[in-house]
């Protein structure tokens, strides 16, 4: 598939909703001729400096492992949809929203944990809905 400049960005965190987001994006890309950019954000916990048990590389490697595992679990051997894997450092909401610059769509899963399941977006999805530079599709809970 040729690069026509059309991109769908997907936020990946390893959750079931991010897997569903990637599946949806790949299917949409197949229909529209777009490419998929799977983005995993990683950030260093401030607590690592108090009791250093991990390094920045540890956080980055963990996020990269999740990104690769999710992409591999969604891809078909015969899939012709290009998926670019991108690692970004930063809090997930701002990092994924920034990575969506120039995209035609951002697809993200919603955790939305709260007192009434399904009534709230997760913090990353909420941030992206309000700040992304393109339309956002939020993959919600199956039981919502």
């Amino acid at each position: 598939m040729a690069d026509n400049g059309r991109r769908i960005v997907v936020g990946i965190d390893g959750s079931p909703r991010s897997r569903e987001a990637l599946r949806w994006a790949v299917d949409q890309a197949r229909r529209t001729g777009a490419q998929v950019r799977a983005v995993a954000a990683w950030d260093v916990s401030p607590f690592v400096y108090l009791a250093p048990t991990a390094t920045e590389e540890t956080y980055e490697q963990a996020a990269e492992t999740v990104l690769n595992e999710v992409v591999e679990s969604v891809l078909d051997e015969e899939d012709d949809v290009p998926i670019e894997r991108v690692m970004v450092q930063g809090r997930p909401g701002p990092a994924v929203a920034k990575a969506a610059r120039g995209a035609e769509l951002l697809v993200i899963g919603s955790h939305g944990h709260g007192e009434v399941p399904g009534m709230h977006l997760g913090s990353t999805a909420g941030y992206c809905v309000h700040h992304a530079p393109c339309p956002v599709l939020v993959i919600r809970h199956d039981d919502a």
Side-chain angles (χ1 to χ4, degrees):
M1 193 177 288
D3 183 1
N4 57 14
R6 299 183 72 186
R7 292 209 179 9
I8 299 172
V9 172
V10 185
I12 302 295
D13 66 2
S15 69
R17 295 291 70 83
S18 75
R19 289 175 198 276
E20 288 303 313
L22 184 57
R23 282 188 192 98
W24 191 94
V26 166
D27 187 52
Q28 182 68 9
R30 188 177 297 112
R31 296 169 193 256
T32 63
Q35 293 182 324
V36 173
R37 178 176 291 156
V39 178
W42 63 276
D43 203 10
V44 177
S45 167
F47 298 110
V48 77
Y49 302 111
L50 297 173
T53 57
T55 64
E56 285 189 23
E57 292 80 23
T58 305
Y59 287 94
E60 183 178 16
Q61 288 170 353
E64 187 172 24
T65 298
V66 166
L67 175 62
N68 289 330
E69 194 277 326
V70 169
V71 170
E72 295 304 320
S73 74
V74 169
L75 275 180
D76 252 333
E77 285 184 18
E78 300 175 15
D79 214 325
D80 60 343
V81 175
I83 298 180
E84 177 187 7
R85 301 172 199 204
V86 176
M87 299 288 302
V88 291
Q89 183 177 8
R91 290 186 4 252
V96 171
K98 184 177 179 181
R101 287 185 186 148
E104 62 185 48
L105 181 66
L106 170 59
V107 185
I108 193 144
S110 175
H111 289 277
H113 301 300
E115 292 181 21
V116 184
M119 291 296 292
H120 302 281
L121 293 176
S123 59
T124 300
Y127 184 94
C128 290
V129 164
H130 291 286
H131 300 285
C134 62
V136 178
L137 173 72
V138 180
I139 303 295
R140 301 291 306 240
H141 299 280
D142 289 332
D143 58 356

